[in-house]
Amino acid sequence: MSRPSTVPPGRPQQRRGALTPTLIVVALIVVGFIFFANVWTDVLWYQQLGFFEVFMTENLARIAIFLAGFAVMFAAMYFAIRIAYTSRPVYAPDSDVRDNLNRYQAQLEPIRRVVMIGLPVLFGLFAGSAAASQWQKVLLFLNQQPFGQNDPQFNLDISFYLMTLPFLGFVTGFLISVAVVAGIAGILTHYLYGSIRLMERGVFTSRAAQIHLAVTGAAFLLLLGTNFWLDRYSAVLNSGGRWAGALYTDVNAVIPTKAILAVAAALVAVLFIVAAVIGKWRLPVIGTAMLVITSILAGGVYPWVIQQFQVRPSEQTLENEYIKRNIAMTRAAYGLDKIQEKRYEATTNATTGALAPDAQTTANIRLLDPNLISDAFSQLEQYRPYYQFPSTLNVDRYEVNGKIQDTVIAVRELNPGGLATNQQSWLNRHVVYTHGYGVVAAKGNKFTADGKPEFLQSGIPSTGVLGTDTSYQPRIYFGENSPDYSIVGAPDGAAHREQDRPAAKEGDAGTQYTFTGNGGPNVGSFLNKILYAIKFQSSDLLLSDGVNAESQILYDRNPKDRVEKVAPYLTVDGNAYPAVVDGRVKWIVDGYTTSPYFPYSQQEQLSDATRDSQTSAGRTAALPSNSVNYIRNSVKATVDAYDGSVTLYAWDDQDPVLKAWQKVFPTSLKPFSEMSGALMSHVRYPEDLFKVQRELLGRYHVTNADNFFTNNDAWSVPNDPTVKEEGVKQPPFYMSLQMPDQDKPAFQLTSSFIPQVVNGNARNVLYGFLAADSDAGNQKGVKADSYGQLRLLQIPPEANVPGPGQAQNKFNSDPTVSQALNLLRQGASAVLNGNLLTLPVGGGLLYVQPVYLKSTGETSYPTLQRVLVAFGDKIGFKPTLDEALNELFGGKSGATAGDAANNGQTPASPSPGTTPPATGGSTDAKAELKAALDEANGAIKAGQEALAKGDFAAYGDQQKKLSAALQRAIDAEAKIATTTPAPAPSATPSPSGSASPSATPSPSPSK
């Protein structure tokens, strides 16, 4: 008989709705499709780029390791719960306990099956995810390569520490976690179902629970013993002491006790198994207590006693052998073991003709500072607001008229933010404005008469010694500041839609263009449109007529990002640089293989070691905060600026770590023998590797263990004296330089050293000068033997060669220089000190610093107006480097600088129909110069008085008078330079020890 309805009359009967399940299903479908969109677009990206092998190998490895980790955790936890449940007692003797347990069991019973499956699944997901993140350790272990070098403690091949020990440590740690989690799950289940109970007489455990816990405890102890045994080998990786590696206490106390603990843990594990068989728990309990006591005494107290009462009183003697190991292994791990060291008896006397032996170096001294002249490139070569140059340009070299010319180079990249507000449409930002245009390069050692860069390559269309629009592809689709994505490409015959380049002449129309390369996945199909619309969260991409059947989508366009994606095992250098190679603009990117597992090698944090004034100012990217003790520049990569194609070359093909990765990804790297000669000629020593090496070299130039122990000859990299921020290191500098033991100049990366800085205090004198040979040659597939050679000049402390800080201080405090520069600063112009270069020439160390002038205003840019030089305690200050060197070295330096043909000023042009005076011009010009400077000083004083009174109109008038007076002074100085012969060498130096540039300070124009 049916039960009568309880629904009131007139009210419709409620039905269980399907809305909630429907919403859940829809949400799952949406989330799943978004996940599919991101995965499938990655597949398309890797396939288009030709690195699908990397995507598949990495993700298959992650999936396989995830499944293995999931399966182990799931199985251990599931069976722990299952065994505990199936072995539960039928009756519980204590009625109160039974009632409580029954209540818990009754509440759990409806969801028991879900919990018994759900908890292992949940913990399995966490465990699998953690395991999958260790995919690189697993693949390195499976594809390891021998080093052919053994560690000094256990005499094992280095590959054991870099490729086997990390894997074994990961597996052991993972299994210990599984044993702990499964053990806890089993104990809780036993307790819930009455197999374990807390009673007044103690803890009651059933026979089944005892066996279960004994087996779990034995497994845990065996794994713990394995971990103790592996810790013996990990001792050589220690970095917590004064020196890296296993030291006296480790070798004589820690390593032996770790072996004892490993054996003890195994014995206690056997006692647990015995207890499971005989049912007696006294022995395993006693064994566990003894193991804990032994681990405290043997693992902690005993090593402490050895360290305090045996090592500390005789530390230098007892640690001597281990310090030697640390020195040798650290130098090998960082590539410092083949450095060429030479004592450099530097002089501080600037004698006439001293630069004659260094004439080739002097001719190539770089005057353009790549950190300051970006504004000059922008004002002179940007052409349109939708173009831009990076804040820091790059230094490279090109062959010009048969000679190697140092250049400062940049590409004219797209700046979407430069479009007007009414042009910021989706179509303009992603379909019309898609690429930059052309390479701009200037001579590093020369400048025009008015202080502008002297360009080797410039203009739109692109022209110069590097090529023209017809000899190289000038379009920049892939760069460091490219848009997040662009839609390019069209069917044959379709109208061009991309803005290509502005008009070459006023009144001409700009040109349009259609991308013809293979630069990105096809986005023409409806499915791909939907996928990329989801990826970039843009409905315009799905609906716009700017997307056609042949459209490609370009994204991930930063060269460093592209290399990191196709080579996830590399640490990428923070500075990619462009070069014109074989008719294309190529970004050259350096990649490093690193490891923190090299025995006895000193750990170094990459972010700290590579931090300097460049990274602090955001001009170059800093490396990640990873600690490493092994690094190799194993890969040179190129990224085509037009189509984004990436090529990886195995540069250090003897690196075992790279060899292992080549086995993992056999088709992704090419041998460097396939590198063209043009590409070889632009390869350079990587900057971040050099920074890490110089940081280590501050201590590890000392190879004597006793001296290393006392640390009385440690060095530091000097702080950059040209920036306001304190405590930031001076960056290394690229320049063409002939070291004392070389027979010709080479393109080098250089840095200097001063005594160790302690608590911010240091004696700022030079102790060392380091140079890395960056010339790889220009032959296809042939690496020059000299490439990568590190040369260290060790300067005797008694030489008292001023350091960069002292040199900058001399420049700032010299009365003549200060007066001239202060006069310019008063004229509403900023004086900018360029990079302070150090060169070992003339038998000593020469400092060269360009001085730039930048006027106020949005369109202003720095112009090079003066050059400061220093040698010992003398300085020179002239419009050109050539003049400054002649002044510094007693009237004749013995060599000619690259700007010898430039007087550094705008020549004074006579009026039409007039003839310059043949004589007497110098006297008249000096009078004009004095009058102009007097008028300038008067204008400054009058302007300050007007400003104090708040009379801004009068202040403006005085500023105009000041500018006019300065220009007359400049013209007068130019006349003096053209009518006055070079001064004769002076036998007696000035009392201040500085070479005075002229009797009257000569200001520079405001540009």
Side-chain angles (χ1 to χ4, degrees):
M1 186 175 179
S2 62
R3 181 177 299 176
S5 174
T6 59
V7 179
R11 180 180 296 179
Q13 185 173 358
Q14 293 183 353
R15 300 176 57 188
R16 183 173 297 175
L19 179 60
T20 299
T22 302
L23 291 176
I24 293 174
V25 171
V26 170
L28 291 175
I29 292 174
V30 170
V31 171
F33 192 76
I34 292 174
F35 177 77
F36 169 76
N38 284 282
V39 172
W40 190 247
T41 52
D42 277 348
V43 169
L44 295 176
W45 189 88
Y46 280 96
Q47 281 184 329
Q48 182 277 324
L49 203 55
F51 285 88
F52 187 61
E53 172 198 62
V54 175
F55 177 83
M56 286 297 295
T57 302
E58 177 183 345
N59 285 282
L60 287 177
R62 286 180 179 271
I63 292 171
I65 297 168
F66 171 85
L67 291 176
F70 174 87
V72 170
M73 178 62 80
F74 174 85
M77 197 169 178
Y78 174 79
F79 284 110
I81 296 174
R82 184 72 181 175
I83 292 171
Y85 175 76
T86 56
S87 62
R88 68 192 183 281
V90 179
Y91 300 104
D94 190 313
S95 59
D96 293 336
V97 175
R98 184 182 63 219
D99 291 341
N100 289 331
L101 292 177
N102 286 342
R103 189 182 313 116
Y104 296 144
Q105 293 168 11
Q107 293 174 351
L108 179 63
E109 188 60 29
I111 58 171
R112 176 179 56 81
R113 294 181 182 275
V114 175
V115 172
M116 291 181 67
I117 298 295
L119 280 179
V121 167
L122 180 62
F123 279 87
L125 291 174
F126 286 125
S129 299
S133 66
Q134 304 297 312
W135 67 276
Q136 293 193 15
K137 292 180 180 178
V138 177
L139 291 184
L140 275 180
F141 170 73
L142 296 176
N143 298 274
Q144 58 185 286
Q145 294 288 302
F147 271 69
Q149 177 186 359
N150 294 349
D151 79 283
Q153 178 60 35
F154 295 101
N155 201 33
L156 296 173
D157 191 273
I158 301 298
S159 62
F160 171 80
Y161 298 96
L162 270 71
M163 303 176 192
T164 300
L165 187 60
F167 170 76
L168 295 178
F170 152 63
V171 172
T172 304
F174 179 80
L175 292 178
I176 288 176
S177 300
V178 170
V180 171
V181 172
I184 293 174
I187 291 172
L188 292 176
T189 307
H190 278 299
Y191 176 78
L192 181 63
Y193 286 96
S195 296
I196 300 176
R197 295 193 305 279
L198 301 177
M199 305 176 64
E200 293 181 359
R201 293 173 296 173
V203 179
F204 168 80
T205 56
S206 67
R207 178 65 177 156
Q210 290 179 7
I211 295 174
H212 187 179
L213 294 180
V215 172
T216 302
F220 173 77
L221 286 168
L222 287 175
L223 291 170
L224 188 63
T226 303
N227 195 60
F228 281 137
W229 188 261
L230 293 178
D231 281 346
R232 298 168 61 252
Y233 302 108
S234 299
V236 300
L237 305 176
N238 287 345
S239 59
R242 290 182 60 187
W243 308 280
L247 304 179
Y248 182 90
T249 300
D250 298 307
V251 171
N252 294 279
V254 174
I255 292 177
T257 55
K258 291 291 184 181
I260 293 171
L261 289 172
V263 174
L267 292 175
V268 177
V270 173
L271 293 179
F272 269 84
I273 299 298
V274 171
V277 175
I278 66 175
K280 303 294 184 180
W281 285 88
R282 178 172 297 180
L283 288 178
V285 170
I286 295 174
T288 302
M290 292 300 296
L291 179 62
V292 172
I293 295 172
T294 303
S295 63
I296 294 174
L297 294 178
V301 176
Y302 177 60
W304 181 83
V305 170
I306 294 295
Q307 180 68 30
Q308 293 297 316
F309 299 102
Q310 186 174 352
V311 175
R312 286 190 63 181
S314 307
E315 189 173 22
Q316 184 168 358
T317 302
L318 295 179
E319 301 288 21
N320 187 275
E321 176 187 351
Y322 308 104
I323 294 174
K324 290 178 180 178
R325 294 179 180 182
N326 173 236
I327 294 172
M329 299 298 279
T330 298
R331 288 170 66 94
Y334 289 95
L336 302 175
D337 50 339
K338 296 181 176 61
I339 191 170
Q340 292 183 3
E341 301 180 17
K342 179 178 180 179
R343 184 178 174 88
Y344 187 57
E345 300 288 349
T347 180
T348 56
N349 296 321
T351 58
T352 302
L355 297 183
D358 303 291
Q360 294 185 75
T361 296
T362 306
N364 285 313
I365 295 176
R366 179 170 53 79
L367 296 173
L368 293 190
D369 185 347
N371 302 317
L372 294 181
I373 62 168
S374 176
D375 287 345
F377 272 50
S378 296
Q379 289 298 321
L380 300 173
E381 288 293 325
Q382 183 172 308
Y383 288 99
R384 293 293 186 273
Y386 53 79
Y387 289 136
Q388 65 178 326
F389 290 98
S391 59
T392 294
L393 312 185
N394 283 285
V395 179
D396 201 352
R397 69 281 194 202
Y398 287 85
E399 185 174 330
V400 180
N401 298 325
K403 295 182 178 180
I404 299 300
Q405 172 71 58
D406 284 7
T407 61
V408 176
I409 189 170
V411 294
R412 191 184 290 109
E413 290 200 56
L414 185 67
N415 176 25
L419 296 174
T421 304
N422 60 356
Q423 291 181 300
Q424 292 284 351
S425 65
W426 181 90
L427 194 70
N428 273 344
R429 287 186 289 109
H430 297 291
V431 177
V432 176
Y433 293 93
T434 59
H435 60 277
Y437 196 92
V439 169
V440 178
K443 295 179 180 178
N445 62 342
K446 296 183 180 180
F447 53 95
T448 64
D450 54 352
K452 300 175 184 175
E454 185 172 317
F455 291 107
L456 290 166
Q457 188 77 20
S458 61
I460 293 181
S462 185
T463 58
V465 298
L466 308 188
T468 64
D469 281 8
T470 58
S471 64
Y472 87 100
Q473 174 57 262
R475 295 168 182 88
I476 311 298
Y477 282 90
F478 293 83
E480 294 179 307
N481 295 290
S482 297
D484 52 353
Y485 71 94
S486 293
I487 309 296
V488 299
D492 293 339
H496 299 310
R497 304 193 70 162
E498 298 178 51
Q499 175 67 31
D500 191 33
R501 57 177 171 82
K505 297 179 181 179
E506 188 175 353
D508 292 350
T511 62
Q512 305 296 309
Y513 182 74
T514 298
F515 179 78
T516 59
N518 180 22
N522 181 276
V523 73
S525 69
F526 182 70
L527 175 61
N528 285 2
K529 284 183 183 179
I530 293 177
L531 296 178
Y532 279 105
I534 292 173
K535 182 179 180 67
F536 292 107
Q537 302 178 17
S538 171
S539 59
D540 295 291
L541 196 152
L542 182 62
L543 303 174
S544 173
D545 66 348
V547 184
N548 56 69
E550 300 298 323
S551 289
Q552 302 173 41
I553 183 166
L554 313 182
Y555 61 99
D556 288 336
R557 299 162 76 173
N558 187 293
K560 292 182 292 184
D561 295 342
R562 293 177 79 79
V563 173
E564 286 175 344
K565 285 190 70 172
V566 301
Y569 51 89
L570 292 179
T571 300
V572 175
D573 192 272
N575 186 21
Y577 60 98
V580 179
V581 176
D582 301 322
R584 310 283 282 208
V585 178
K586 300 277 191 180
W587 293 95
I588 301 177
V589 185
D590 286 287
Y592 309 115
T593 48
T594 62
S595 175
Y597 301 116
F598 200 92
Y600 276 101
S601 179
Q602 182 67 38
Q603 293 276 346
E604 194 68 43
Q605 191 174 64
L606 292 178
S607 59
D608 291 342
T610 57
R611 183 176 182 268
D612 58 18
S613 59
Q614 294 287 82
T615 59
S616 296
R619 297 190 182 105
T620 58
L623 290 187
S625 300
N626 297 337
S627 289
V628 304
N629 62 8
Y630 173 87
I631 186 170
R632 290 290 185 270
N633 177 211
S634 53
V635 172
K636 299 285 186 183
T638 63
V639 178
D640 193 294
Y642 181 72
D643 62 18
S645 57
V646 179
T647 307
L648 305 177
Y649 295 101
W651 184 249
D652 187 351
D653 53 4
Q654 299 305 308
D655 175 28
V657 179
L658 181 65
K659 287 182 179 180
W661 286 117
Q662 284 182 289
K663 288 182 65 179
V664 177
F665 306 112
T667 65
S668 65
L669 286 103
K670 296 182 178 180
F672 75 83
S673 58
E674 295 187 19
M675 296 175 70
S676 69
L679 178 56
M680 279 284 189
S681 67
H682 292 288
V683 164
R684 68 189 193 187
Y685 199 82
E687 200 165 347
D688 284 334
L689 172 62
F690 185 79
K691 291 180 186 179
V692 173
Q693 289 176 319
R694 73 173 182 176
E695 190 70 21
L696 269 297
L697 201 61
R699 289 186 63 198
Y700 287 90
H701 68 278
V702 178
T703 55
N704 180 275
D706 291 330
N707 292 339
F708 194 87
F709 176 87
T710 58
N711 200 38
N712 57 6
D713 192 23
W715 299 343
S716 291
V717 177
N719 291 333
D720 192 342
T722 66
V723 298
K724 294 181 179 179
E725 184 180 356
E726 296 182 358
V728 292
K729 300 175 187 131
Q730 188 179 44
F733 299 114
Y734 287 104
M735 66 181 84
S736 289
L737 173 68
Q738 181 177 340
M739 292 289 281
D741 61 340
Q742 290 181 288
D743 54 5
K744 62 179 181 179
F747 192 65
Q748 317 234 26
L749 184 58
T750 66
S751 185
S752 56
F753 296 97
I754 61 174
Q756 185 179 34
V757 177
V758 179
N759 297 325
N761 298 316
R763 183 167 171 250
N764 204 282
V765 294
L766 275 192
Y767 271 20
F769 181 86
L770 179 67
D773 196 313
S774 294
D775 276 340
N778 56 9
Q779 299 182 37
K780 181 181 184 299
V782 179
K783 189 192 308 184
D785 294 336
S786 60
Y787 172 85
Q789 180 62 62
L790 295 174
R791 295 179 173 88
L792 176 64
L793 301 181
Q794 295 196 4
I795 303 165
E798 60 271 16
N800 284 322
V801 176
Q806 284 191 13
Q808 187 68 58
N809 184 62
K810 289 180 183 297
F811 292 154
N812 296 340
S813 60
D814 183 87
T816 304
V817 175
S818 180
Q819 182 180 0
L821 297 183
N822 284 335
L823 182 61
L824 296 177
R825 292 187 183 100
Q826 293 291 337
S829 297
V831 175
L832 306 176
N833 292 325
N835 44 207
L836 184 61
L837 304 181
T838 309
L839 301 96
V841 294
L845 277 301
L846 172 70
Y847 289 100
V848 178
Q849 183 175 60
V851 178
Y852 293 83
L853 206 64
K854 183 178 181 180
S855 64
T856 57
E858 294 182 358
T859 60
S860 64
Y861 57 89
T863 57
L864 196 154
Q865 294 298 326
R866 293 292 184 271
V867 181
L868 284 160
V869 293
F871 194 97
D873 291 329
K874 294 184 64 178
I875 70 170
F877 180 55
K878 282 291 184 179
T880 67
L881 174 61
D882 192 67
E883 292 175 295
L885 291 176
N886 283 334
E887 179 186 47
L888 179 64
F889 288 93
K892 184 177 173 113
S893 67
T896 302
D899 63 347
N902 187 352
N903 67 1
Q905 299 291 341
T906 305
S909 303
S911 303
T914 64
T915 303
T919 59
S922 176
T923 303
D924 295 340
K926 288 181 179 179
E928 293 175 12
L929 176 61
K930 186 177 185 306
L933 290 176
D934 289 341
E935 184 176 344
N937 280 319
I940 291 172
K941 293 179 181 178
Q944 293 298 325
E945 292 174 358
L947 192 61
K949 297 176 182 178
D951 189 346
F952 295 103
Y955 176 75
D957 293 339
Q958 294 301 325
Q959 289 299 305
K960 293 178 182 178
K961 292 181 181 180
L962 174 61
S963 297
L966 289 175
Q967 187 58 53
R968 288 197 298 276
I970 291 167
D971 294 340
E973 189 182 46
K975 293 178 184 178
I976 295 173
T978 56
T979 58
T980 304
S986 174
T988 306
S990 61
S992 65
S994 63
S996 175
S998 58
T1000 307
S1002 53
S1004 302
S1006 173
K1007 296 295 176 187

